[in-house]
Amino acid sequence: MNSYDVYFPHLGIGIRHLVNSISPFGFRIAFYGIIIAIGMLIGILVASRDYQNRGGKADDIQDFALYTIVLAILGARAYYVIFEWGYYSKHPAEILMTRHGGLAIYGGVLTSILCCFLFTRWRKLRFLNMADSGVIGLILGQAIGRWGNFFNAEAFGGYTDSLFAMRLREDIVNQNMLTRSVLDREILVDGVRYIQVHPTFLYESAWNFAVFLFLLLWSRSGKKLFEGQIFFLYLGLYGFGRFFIEGLRTDSLLLWGTKLAVSQLLSAFLVLLSLAAHILMLRRRKEREGNPGGNS
């Protein structure tokens, strides 16, 4: 295992030198940004195709994406800064320095949903109809984007010796992400210090991809029970997985003055919102079917 930057001891897989950027013409471009961009592009294409298959115009999804991408990045940054205000209130010059890290996916997701609502109102389109296709592309983009965390050696959990345990050279990890419990279990190999942790980026990527496949198949099965169901399934399924995965992470944003992870609280809320939406929508459908001649 000597000289590996990343190593999965139970799988026998390792990377000797984890490169996290390229520098064409002397300009550094982080793999994190490249992977996020690839995820966005593929997500837009998938959402456009799904929307088109259901009678919509692919141009509407693409136009929406052009308006939303920058705002979603700003939303992801704003979310992170808000819940790290103790630091940024003392270092305001760093608020816009996204190249130093600090984007929270939930901020981007919430901003995208708001933008979709405003965009559909402006274009006189049906919000839930577009959202059904949009989230299929979104969750695939999230599954791809999580691999940016791998190249940054971040978004990992606490100590584990499970099948997917991941060892990272301690000196390539942001020291702010190292907890006492992780450091207490560090491993020394040929004079090199390693931490051994849950690869939560991998867990979330796998969960997101599974959710993507389910939503895509459900959307195409003809079994969708109401307009907006794919959207609400996304909220519930993503929130369900994120709730448990977030509990493993060492770098969670915390609600001010507490030890409660904001993403866990929001995830739980989204699961409940999804359940409530299903109950309400199905009840309305049953009422309409039971009173076909009633006033609309």
Side-chain angles (χ1 to χ4, degrees):
M1 185 192 147
N2 186 27
S3 80
Y4 281 111
D5 283 352
V6 183
Y7 187 66
F8 293 83
H10 302 306
L11 301 177
I13 300 172
I15 297 177
R16 293 191 181 278
H17 302 291
L18 184 66
V19 179
N20 63 9
S21 66
I22 56 175
S23 300
F25 309 107
F27 182 75
R28 180 179 178 274
I29 304 176
F31 284 156
Y32 180 88
I34 294 173
I35 292 170
I36 293 294
I38 291 172
M40 286 180 174
L41 178 60
I42 294 176
I44 291 167
L45 293 175
V46 169
S48 298
R49 176 63 63 87
D50 183 78
Y51 194 56
Q52 193 172 27
N53 287 342
R54 292 189 293 105
K57 295 180 180 179
D59 288 349
D60 287 333
I61 288 282
Q62 293 162 13
D63 290 347
F64 159 68
L66 289 176
Y67 287 115
T68 302
I69 286 173
V70 173
L71 293 175
I73 293 172
L74 291 175
R77 180 60 172 176
Y79 185 102
Y80 184 87
V81 169
I82 287 170
F83 292 106
E84 286 283 6
W85 188 243
Y87 174 82
Y88 287 103
S89 63
K90 299 180 179 64
H91 304 86
E94 296 186 26
I95 289 177
L96 297 179
M97 293 183 181
T98 57
R99 289 176 64 86
H100 295 173
L103 297 176
I105 185 62
Y106 260 139
V109 169
L110 295 176
T111 300
S112 297
I113 292 172
L114 175 60
C115 287
C116 184
F117 176 77
L118 295 175
F119 180 84
T120 51
R121 290 291 295 268
W122 173 45
R123 286 284 183 92
K124 294 181 172 56
L125 301 169
R126 303 197 307 277
F127 165 67
L128 290 177
N129 187 45
M130 178 173 280
D132 275 347
S133 290
V135 295
I136 292 175
L138 176 59
I139 192 66
L140 178 58
Q142 289 177 255
I144 296 169
R146 272 300 170 199
W147 283 90
N149 298 129
F150 172 71
F151 287 98
N152 277 359
E154 62 186 9
F156 51 80
Y159 172 83
T160 184
D161 195 33
S162 62
L163 176 63
F164 295 103
M166 175 178 67
R167 290 183 187 176
L168 294 169
R169 281 180 62 114
E170 192 176 311
D171 57 4
I172 70 170
V173 175
N174 184 329
Q175 299 302 297
N176 293 329
M177 297 180 183
L178 298 175
T179 62
R180 187 71 263 162
S181 61
V182 168
L183 291 173
D184 286 343
R185 306 294 291 273
E186 68 182 7
I187 299 168
L188 190 65
V189 179
D190 296 329
V192 179
R193 295 181 183 278
Y194 289 87
I195 58 170
Q196 183 166 304
V197 295
H198 284 284
T200 50
F201 79 90
L202 175 61
Y203 300 163
E204 188 167 337
S205 179
W207 176 256
N208 289 349
F209 188 69
V211 172
F212 159 71
L213 289 178
F214 174 78
L215 295 182
L216 183 65
L217 293 174
W218 189 256
S219 176
R220 295 182 177 181
S221 69
K223 297 179 181 180
K224 191 168 70 169
L225 300 175
F226 55 87
E227 186 170 274
Q229 187 183 26
I230 304 299
F231 170 66
F232 287 113
L233 281 172
Y234 161 79
L235 295 182
L237 292 172
Y238 175 64
F240 179 81
R242 181 64 185 271
F243 178 87
F244 292 102
I245 294 168
E246 189 70 23
L248 299 173
R249 288 179 59 167
T250 64
D251 61 342
S252 297
L253 296 173
L254 303 179
L255 190 65
W256 310 288
T258 74
K259 293 185 178 181
L260 299 174
V262 177
S263 290
Q264 279 193 303
L265 294 175
L266 181 54
S267 294
F269 171 76
L270 292 181
V271 171
L272 293 176
L273 177 62
S274 177
L275 291 172
H278 274 78
I279 292 171
L280 178 62
M281 293 293 192
L282 292 176
R283 181 177 296 171
R284 287 182 176 178
R285 177 181 172 176
K286 185 176 180 180
E287 290 173 353
R288 286 196 301 269
E289 291 174 347
N291 186 26
N295 294 328
S296 59

